Amino acid sequence: QTKKIDSQEETRVLRGVENKKLKAKLVTSRKQRLDVNRHNADSNILLEEDPGYLVAEGMERTYKFRQSAIRENIDINAQKKALDLKLNTFGPYFCDYSRNGRFLLLGGAKGHVFLCDLIDTQPQCEFHVRETIRDVKMLQNESIFAVAQRKYVHLYDKQGLEVQVIREHIQPTHLEFLPYHFLLASVGTAGVLKYHDVSTGAARCTAPHPPGGVHLHVPEPPQRRHAPRPRKRDGDHVDAQHGRTRRQDA
């Protein structure tokens, strides 16, 4: 309600401006500001919450925490989300989560694929590909995911139906997805890094890797940008507290 009143007041003020040149500049500035606010509101869906973590005290190590001890020290709502899966037949398993953390994707090395909703603990799909699985990866959301199988990369929907077979990615061993670019990247036994645009279905680029094979494939984390340091000239004094350059009087 307050924003609506402010907008009406701003419109009334603009109508009272007699200078046509100034009025045109104010109207353009207002339109640009509204477009920026609208764009920011649309991009809020890309924001994610901070992931949870464990804090160790003293000489404790987080890898020694047992699931039973964690469950005893969390709230009731979090306890209801605890899930016990006994997968002893088709392992070892590769796992991945959707970007909102609600869906869990599991792929067994012996061909078992399982997609589960962690909130209501209901399986979305479960099937067997009857061949080796080397990695699994959720794409933009839970509606589609990729499975690195023995020969190619296969895409499936959340019902378990095969959507596409990406034959350009031969004998993939590692998968990674870049959500802001809609690019699915894979590395195969030949050590070749390949990018595939899942929005258009077209291959983007190929980058051969040096001999020796690839044993780890993860995206580079975003780096924090730092402001450039002020340049110091003769006779200048740099304020270390505020990072400003002040000119000394002669």
Side-chain angles (χ1 to χ4, degrees), residues 1 11 37 71 95 105 122 145 153 155 172 176 196 202 217 246 249:
Q1 185 69 19
T11 303
N37 293 337
R71 188 169 184 175
C95 69
L105 175 64
Q122 293 296 325
F145 56 89
V153 174
L155 301 184
E176 192 57 58
H196 193 89
H217 183 209
R246 299 179 180 176
D249 297 333

Side-chain angles (χ1 to χ4, degrees), residues 53-92:
Y53 55 91
L54 297 175
V55 178
E57 297 181 356
M59 300 297 294
E60 292 181 334
R61 296 293 181 266
T62 56
Y63 61 82
K64 292 185 178 181
F65 291 168
R66 301 183 63 84
Q67 294 293 327
S68 57
I70 296 176
R71 188 169 184 175
E72 292 175 357
N73 292 274
I74 57 179
D75 59 87
I76 298 177
N77 292 329
Q79 291 179 5
K80 294 179 180 179
K81 299 178 182 179
L83 185 63
D84 185 13
L85 297 175
K86 297 182 179 180
L87 306 170
N88 303 322
T89 306
F90 302 107

Side-chain angles (χ1 to χ4, degrees), residues 46-52 99-100:
L46 299 177
L47 300 178
E48 300 179 358
E49 297 180 356
D50 294 334
R99 298 185 63 205
N100 57 11

Side-chain angles (χ1 to χ4, degrees), residues 22-237:
L22 176 60
K23 185 176 181 179
K25 290 183 177 180
L26 293 175
V27 171
T28 302
S29 176
R30 181 191 181 195
K31 184 178 181 300
Q32 292 176 350
R33 186 177 71 255
L34 294 177
D35 291 341
V36 170
N37 293 337
R38 190 180 302 109
H39 177 73
N40 291 337
D42 294 339
S43 63
N44 284 336
I45 59 175
L46 299 177
L47 300 178
E48 300 179 358
E49 297 180 356
D50 294 334
Y53 55 91
L54 297 175
V55 178
E57 297 181 356
M59 300 297 294
E60 292 181 334
R61 296 293 181 266
T62 56
Y63 61 82
K64 292 185 178 181
F65 291 168
R66 301 183 63 84
Q67 294 293 327
S68 57
I70 296 176
R71 188 169 184 175
E72 292 175 357
N73 292 274
I74 57 179
D75 59 87
I76 298 177
N77 292 329
Q79 291 179 5
K80 294 179 180 179
K81 299 178 182 179
L83 185 63
D84 185 13
L85 297 175
K86 297 182 179 180
L87 306 170
N88 303 322
T89 306
F90 302 107
Y93 277 82
F94 306 92
C95 69
D96 191 31
Y97 289 89
S98 60
R99 298 185 63 205
N100 57 11
R102 176 169 180 173
F103 294 88
L104 170 65
L105 175 64
L106 296 174
K110 297 181 181 179
H112 180 223
V113 179
F114 178 68
L115 178 63
C116 177
D117 188 339
L118 296 178
I119 292 183
D120 54 15
T121 64
Q122 293 296 325
Q124 299 297 303
C125 69
E126 185 177 10
F127 57 95
H128 205 288
V129 299
R130 297 184 180 181
E131 64 180 14
T132 302
I133 292 179
R134 298 189 180 97
D135 200 3
V136 294
K137 180 59 60 176
M138 301 283 286
L139 300 189
Q140 196 67 24
N141 51 44
E142 72 281 357
S143 62
I144 188 170
F145 56 89
V147 180
Q149 297 180 203
R150 182 181 62 86
K151 195 172 183 179
Y152 303 118
V153 174
H154 297 248
L155 301 184
Y156 299 91
D157 62 9
K158 62 180 180 180
Q159 281 80 31
L161 300 178
E162 187 177 82
V163 177
Q164 183 183 1
V165 180
I166 307 178
R167 302 182 184 276
E168 294 83 0
H169 298 237
I170 301 175
Q171 295 181 347
T173 58
H174 299 81
L175 295 177
E176 192 57 58
F177 182 66
L178 306 179
Y180 296 103
H181 307 280
F182 294 91
L183 291 178
L184 176 64
S186 75
V187 175
T189 55
V192 180
L193 176 62
K194 296 184 178 181
Y195 291 91
H196 193 89
D197 191 338
V198 297
S199 62
T200 61
R204 286 306 177 190
C205 65
T206 301
H209 192 273
V214 178
H215 304 284
L216 183 63
H217 183 209
V218 294
E220 182 180 1
Q223 298 180 355
R224 182 178 300 176
R225 294 184 178 181
H226 299 276
R229 298 181 61 182
R231 298 181 60 183
K232 185 178 179 180
R233 298 171 297 178
D234 295 338
D236 287 353
H237 172 69

